[in-house]
Amino acid sequence: MARTWPRTPTPRFERWREEFAAYQEEHAPTGRHFRVTSDYSTQLYGAHGGRSEATTLGDLGHLAEVEARIARSQQVVWDAHAAEVMSAASEGGLEATAEALREDEHWIRRLHRDGQPVDVSTDAARWVSGVLGTCPPNPMIRAEEIWGLWLSVVGARQICTRVRDQLILELVDAGRPRTHVSRALGWSYERFQRHLTRLEEDRAELERRAASGEIPGVIGLEARRSPRGSRP
């Protein structure tokens, strides 16, 4: 849907921009009161049903469901972020809003195009409300705080994919039929094969780097082995 942006920022927007700059300075270096931490991402992973231990095909299917739930939460938080940016742009116009938020105009157009009404029935919407409860009524500040939450949800999804990918490798190494593994994920066999190839290539590269001493503090298994009776 086309949108007509204001040609010049309104006095209200200029006040928001000044408040936003002062807020970012106060909460440097991130510019947010909300802190993105691994602990909170882990908490969000658990809130979506994530498990730290996974060993079976059934666990793999569960992890696929967890990732889908996290992806839906990402969309809700994205939509909430987009709503605040659009609120700012409605007063500031495209160029001034992009400049104030240190984004480009294409990003704001994408938010306008892809953003949907926030699904207020979700846990993610409640997390957004909790973050906004600490914010002044300034959409630029609110957008930035919500972005921190989005990054935390991304972190939760990354935890899920790490656990999932490790389990994929363990199941394949244990000789489980690849068709069974792909079926547990709900993927086509072709998609699974492409993903498995990437995982195996990444693992091989990591093992190569460890063996050659390229990873500080990590020594490859082969490098640690020495002939029986030889000097250390």
Side-chain angles (χ1 to χ4, degrees), residues 45 51-60 62-63 163-164 166-168 170-171:
Y45 172 61
R51 301 171 181 172
S52 58
E53 296 291 334
T55 58
T56 68
L57 284 174
D59 292 335
L60 193 60
H62 176 76
L63 288 169
V163 176
R164 179 204 67 196
Q166 182 60 38
L167 181 54
I168 288 173
E170 290 174 1
L171 291 170

Side-chain angles (χ1 to χ4, degrees), residues 116-177:
Q116 301 295 323
V118 177
D119 184 351
V120 297
S121 68
T122 62
D123 287 338
R126 288 186 283 275
W127 299 330
V128 168
S129 295
V131 169
L132 293 183
T134 66
C135 293
N138 180 322
M140 287 189 282
I141 293 173
R142 290 161 67 90
E144 185 63 23
E145 295 289 353
I146 293 170
W147 190 249
L149 177 61
W150 188 84
L151 292 174
S152 295
V153 179
V154 170
R157 189 171 182 179
Q158 289 172 341
I159 293 170
C160 185
T161 57
R162 283 198 299 270
V163 176
R164 179 204 67 196
D165 288 347
Q166 182 60 38
L167 181 54
I168 288 173
L169 289 171
E170 290 174 1
L171 291 170
V172 171
D173 289 347
R176 297 306 298 263

Side-chain angles (χ1 to χ4, degrees), residues 18-35 102 134-136 141 145:
E18 291 176 3
E19 291 174 352
F20 181 52
Y23 189 88
Q24 288 191 302
E25 183 175 351
E26 178 184 356
H27 296 289
T30 66
R32 293 185 299 268
H33 171 76
F34 181 89
R35 289 292 180 261
R102 298 178 183 177
T134 66
C135 293
I141 293 173
E145 295 289 353

